[in-house]
């Protein structure tokens, strides 16, 4: 009864569209019976070519393949009563408190100032890289002061694992149905951990949750009505626009009817169901999605030097400390107290954010020393400042003394 009503509605809708778009030649199928709708023998037959860009297949879907039926059609599996995108809290949170380090670093980390020769070489190279800058100030300047700035970059990485569950399906082709037994809990399913501190995703099938269901997309038929021709097998002629004539001549592709065979379905009026791939049945199961994410906290400790710290994002420094553990302890004995404060804030923030929703697999904290030298110099009886930063000895300045005439004109 359900199928009869469904088919009757499709055919009625198809006739309504056909009557609006134009006449149909008498020797072409204006409708399909039940046998025709269910037929798998019909393939897309080549039809008259259409102008480039005039054809877009409405039957194409963004995600090809099976999708799970609505949740209310699926059985309730013990332990999986609430499926969806929400993260499942882990059953074992691991260590709740990190172990304090046995020894603290004793050395002091001081940045040696670069030499005047290196500072001038970097400045000349910088000026030469700018088409509008004259290299004369860089070659003739007189140094008045070189100040090394203790600049540190603290980084905390927290590598976490989170899990979610949802119904999924695939076309049923007679494969084994694993639907007997007790399904293990989401966090009881062993999944190999990928490389640490690298984002990764994986999906696995939860054992003993499989079941076979009729395809909800095509009502178990294996075929769906063609969206382009709305089940009629005919579409408006692209050459004459449904008029049956071009200028004063009868339209050849449609033989004057204004309608041509549908290119999407080859005139059949139906296409193979994209959900079940023509099988009419789906093998449904609960899918466990595992997400590994490297969560990063970065802080640059700057002492108000006037240097834009955002330039340090791609600059390398010298690593002074690396600490890795399932849960790290905040740095407490670094010579610069600002670094200790940033470490404590970062560790607390990540523990509060991830400890109860994800499984923290590993943490790593590093401290880098980034060499920055502020250079004061005099040229043409005026004082100027520039910075040499990073192990790459890059240069930053806001007020280069002399620019070429082309830059002045611009």
């Amino acid at each position: 009864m359900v199928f009869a009503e469904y088919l009757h509605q499709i055919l009625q809708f198809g006739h309504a569209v056909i009557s609006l778009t134009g006449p149909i030649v008498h020797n072409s199928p204006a409708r399909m019976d039940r046998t025709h709708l269910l037929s798998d023998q019909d393939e897309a037959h080549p039809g008259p070519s259409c102008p480039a860009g005039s054809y877009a297949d409405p039957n194409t879907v963004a995600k090809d393949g099976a999708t799970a039926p609505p949740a209310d059609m699926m059985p309730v599996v013990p332990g999986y009563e609430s499926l969806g995108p929400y993260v499942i809290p882990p059953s074992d949170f691991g260590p709740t408190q990190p172990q304090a380090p046995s020894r603290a670093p004793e050395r002091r980390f001081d940045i040696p100032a670069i030499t005047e020769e290196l500072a001038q070489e970097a400045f000349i190279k910088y000026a030469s890289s700018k088409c509008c800058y004259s290299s004369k100030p860089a070659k003739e300047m007189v140094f008045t002061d070189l100040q090394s700035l203790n600049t540190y970059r603290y980084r905390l990485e927290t590598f976490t694992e989170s899990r979610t569950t949802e119904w999924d399906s695939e076309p049923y082709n007679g494969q084994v149905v694993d639907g007997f037994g007790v399904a293990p809990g989401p966090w009881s399913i062993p999944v190999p951990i990928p490389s640490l501190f690298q984002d990764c995703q994986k999906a696995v099938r939860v054992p003993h949750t499989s079941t076979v269901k009729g395809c909800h997309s095509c009502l178990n038929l294996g075929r769906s009505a063609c969206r382009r021709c709305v089940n009629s097998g005919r579409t408006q002629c692209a050459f004459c626009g449904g008029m049956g004539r071009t200028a004063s001549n009868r339209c050849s592709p449609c033989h004057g009817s204004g309608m041509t065979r549908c290119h999407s379905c080859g005139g059949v009026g139906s296409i193979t169901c994209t959900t079940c791939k023509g099988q009419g049945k789906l093998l449904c199961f609960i899918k466990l999605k595992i997400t590994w994410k490297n969560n990063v906290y970065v802080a640059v400790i700057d002492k108000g030097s006037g240097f834009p710290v955002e330039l340090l994002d791609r600059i390398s420094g010298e690593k002074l400390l690396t600490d890795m553990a399932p849960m790290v302890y905040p740095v407490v004995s670094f010579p610069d107290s600002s670094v200790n404060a940033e470490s404590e804030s970062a560790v607390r923030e990540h523990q509060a954010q991830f400890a109860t929703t994800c499984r923290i697999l590993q943490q790593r904290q590093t401290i880098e020393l980034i060499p920055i030298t502020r250079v004061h110099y005099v040229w043409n009886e005026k004082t100027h400042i520039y910075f040499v930063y990073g192990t790459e000895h890059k240069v930053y300045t806001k007020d280069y003394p002399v620019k070429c005439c082309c830059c002045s004109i611009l």
Side-chain angles (χ1 to χ4, degrees):
M1 183 63 181
V2 174
F3 168 79
E5 294 178 353
Y6 169 73
L7 183 58
H8 181 67
Q9 292 175 359
I10 290 179
L11 294 177
Q12 279 190 327
F13 186 38
H15 284 305
V17 174
I18 295 166
S19 62
L20 292 174
T21 55
I24 301 177
V25 292
H26 296 293
N27 58 354
S28 300
R31 56 181 295 157
M32 294 188 305
D33 55 17
R34 183 175 185 272
T35 304
H36 205 179
L37 180 64
L38 294 175
S39 174
D40 286 327
Q41 65 183 355
D42 300 297
E43 301 296 337
H45 301 290
S49 59
C50 56
S54 64
Y55 173 69
D57 192 346
N59 297 308
T60 302
V61 293
K63 180 183 178 182
D64 189 21
T67 55
D72 55 3
M73 297 176 57
M74 306 307 297
V76 177
V77 178
Y80 294 86
E81 290 82 5
S82 299
L83 303 180
Y86 303 104
V87 173
I88 304 169
S91 54
D92 177 19
F93 294 101
T96 56
Q97 292 296 331
Q99 295 294 325
S102 56
R103 294 182 57 186
E106 298 177 356
R107 59 173 284 201
R108 289 191 59 84
F109 305 106
D110 296 319
I111 307 176
I114 62 175
T115 64
E116 291 185 356
E117 291 77 8
L118 183 57
Q120 186 170 26
E121 180 184 342
F123 204 32
I124 294 175
K125 183 179 179 181
Y126 167 78
S128 301
S129 66
K130 305 291 185 180
C131 66
C132 298
Y133 287 13
S134 169
S135 61
K136 189 174 182 180
K139 294 178 180 179
E140 299 178 353
M141 66 179 176
V142 177
F143 292 102
T144 58
D145 190 20
L146 278 76
Q147 300 174 348
S148 61
L149 307 174
N150 283 351
T151 304
Y152 302 104
R153 177 165 56 204
Y154 173 82
R155 182 192 306 268
L156 173 65
E157 298 172 88
T158 301
F159 188 59
T160 60
E161 176 183 335
S162 60
R163 300 190 174 194
T164 59
T165 54
E166 62 182 16
W167 279 107
D168 201 356
S169 66
E170 63 184 29
Y172 180 62
N173 301 305
Q175 57 266 50
V176 176
V177 181
D178 180 16
F180 299 97
V182 179
W187 283 100
S188 301
I189 301 174
V191 181
I193 299 174
S195 300
L196 294 177
F197 305 110
Q198 293 184 13
D199 293 353
C200 184
Q201 280 191 333
K202 188 175 183 179
V204 298
R205 188 175 305 189
V206 177
H208 314 314
T209 61
S210 298
T211 182
V212 176
K213 294 286 185 179
C215 180
H216 56 289
S217 297
C218 63
L219 299 182
N220 311 352
L221 301 177
R223 297 187 70 83
S224 303
C226 177
R227 296 181 182 180
R228 181 171 177 81
C229 65
V230 196
N231 201 40
S232 69
R234 311 289 289 176
T235 56
Q236 181 177 282
C237 179
F239 286 87
C240 66
M243 300 299 293
R245 304 184 68 84
T246 55
S248 59
N249 302 319
R250 180 186 181 191
C251 180
S252 298
C254 67
H255 304 289
S257 67
M259 302 292 291
T260 58
R261 178 184 295 175
C262 176
H263 296 288
S264 293
C265 62
V268 175
S270 68
I271 60 171
T272 301
C273 177
T274 57
T275 300
C276 66
K277 303 298 183 184
Q279 299 300 316
K281 294 182 180 180
L282 297 173
L283 177 63
C284 304
F285 52 88
I286 294 179
K287 179 175 66 177
L288 175 66
K289 296 175 66 177
I290 307 98
T291 302
W292 292 277
K293 183 171 178 59
N294 190 35
N295 307 275
V296 182
Y297 178 105
V298 179
V300 176
I301 292 82
D302 179 63
K303 303 297 185 180
S305 62
F307 179 83
V309 294
E310 60 270 12
L311 295 180
L312 302 178
D313 290 346
R314 298 184 179 181
I315 294 300
S316 58
E318 178 189 353
K319 284 191 177 180
L320 306 179
L321 181 144
T322 300
D323 178 26
M324 188 167 67
M327 191 169 290
V328 298
Y329 195 84
V331 177
V332 294
S333 300
F334 195 77
D336 192 319
S337 60
S338 299
V339 177
N340 299 330
E342 283 292 348
S343 177
E344 182 178 4
S345 175
V347 171
R348 289 181 181 273
E349 180 179 314
H350 274 204
Q351 286 182 0
Q353 186 175 357
F354 305 116
T356 58
T357 57
C358 309
R359 177 176 287 173
I360 297 178
L361 301 177
Q362 197 78 202
Q363 285 187 310
R364 178 172 62 190
Q365 58 182 347
T366 58
I367 300 175
E368 289 178 278
L369 183 150
I370 303 177
I372 299 180
T373 301
R374 182 166 53 197
V375 181
H376 298 253
Y377 69 97
V378 173
W379 184 80
N380 201 18
E381 299 182 355
K382 292 184 180 180
T383 301
H384 304 274
I385 296 175
Y386 70 92
F387 295 86
V388 181
Y389 62 98
T391 58
E392 300 87 346
H393 298 132
K394 293 194 173 184
V395 171
Y396 166 76
T397 182
K398 290 194 300 184
D399 56 346
Y400 192 78
V402 178
K403 299 179 181 180
C404 297
C405 58
C406 61
C407 183
S408 302
I409 295 174
L410 293 175

